[in-house]
Amino acid sequence: GGHGTPSVLLTTSSNSKLPFQHLNIVHNKMNHLVALVTADFPYATETLCLFMAIQGAMTVRKGANSKKSMNWFHAFLKSTLTAYSGAAFTNMFMGRPTAMFSNDIFFGACVIGFVIVNYLPMDIGYHFFNTFLGEALYTVFSQVFRMGGVTGFSDAAYAAFKD
């Protein structure tokens, strides 16, 4: 299905005399999982970019900035590079503009993710994403983002060298 449109598996009754006389609609139980893995859901790009940014910000916050002693810009830049270095540098190596600089969704997600992790009151963002559920959320969505990147870069490499 398309964005938000549920996919269905259509089956007919075995004793039907006319085509589609007894049409049974069986919902595909894997539909939501397939939509997640293929990033085929509303606001998929924004969601995946935000969770990538949150993962980068959490990595820096748990490590180099664990005491929140870094300058905010240094911490932000390190979070952004931690989150998107593969997506940024692979395009540069292929001679293409990086989406980090040419796509406003990426930069906006970096700002929002950094603020969620570092500047929400009582460190609620950091504490939530430091739980099992929070880590599972940003890990799953970040891996879906990376999976899309690998397929996109593979397609671009094939197009460049297919002859």
Side-chain angles (χ1 to χ4, degrees):
H3 297 287
T5 307
S7 296
V8 292
L9 178 64
L10 303 175
T11 60
T12 57
S13 174
S14 60
N15 61 359
S16 66
K17 295 180 175 112
L18 296 173
F20 306 110
Q21 181 180 0
H22 299 288
L23 189 65
N24 296 321
I25 298 176
V26 180
H27 289 278
N28 185 353
K29 295 184 191 251
M30 298 295 289
N31 185 40
H32 295 296
L33 182 60
V34 170
L36 171 68
V37 171
T38 58
D40 185 23
F41 55 91
Y43 302 108
T45 302
E46 293 85 353
T47 303
L48 299 178
C49 289
L50 177 62
F51 280 106
M52 279 294 292
I54 288 172
Q55 186 175 46
M58 285 298 292
T59 301
V60 172
R61 179 73 191 273
K62 286 179 176 182
N65 198 24
S66 61
K67 296 178 183 170
K68 291 180 84 172
S69 58
M70 292 175 88
N71 178 287
W72 72 269
F73 185 76
H74 186 207
F76 174 71
L77 186 63
K78 196 167 193 168
S79 296
T80 302
L81 286 177
T82 300
Y84 291 108
S85 59
F89 292 118
T90 304
N91 277 336
M92 285 184 210
F93 294 148
M94 293 174 66
R96 296 181 174 194
T98 177
M100 187 62 235
F101 302 123
S102 63
N103 188 336
D104 58 346
I105 293 173
F106 282 76
F107 187 74
C110 288
V111 170
I112 294 169
F114 181 75
V115 168
I116 287 171
V117 169
N118 292 292
Y119 290 106
L120 282 183
M122 298 181 294
D123 267 347
I124 193 166
Y126 171 74
H127 290 304
F128 171 72
F129 286 110
N130 207 21
T131 65
F132 176 77
L133 177 62
E135 287 189 10
L137 269 173
Y138 72 71
T139 300
V140 166
F141 283 110
S142 296
Q143 294 308 323
V144 170
F145 179 92
R146 289 183 181 102
M147 188 171 44
V150 168
T151 57
F153 291 133
S154 299
D155 289 346
Y158 174 75
F161 297 112
K162 70 179 176 180
D163 182 59

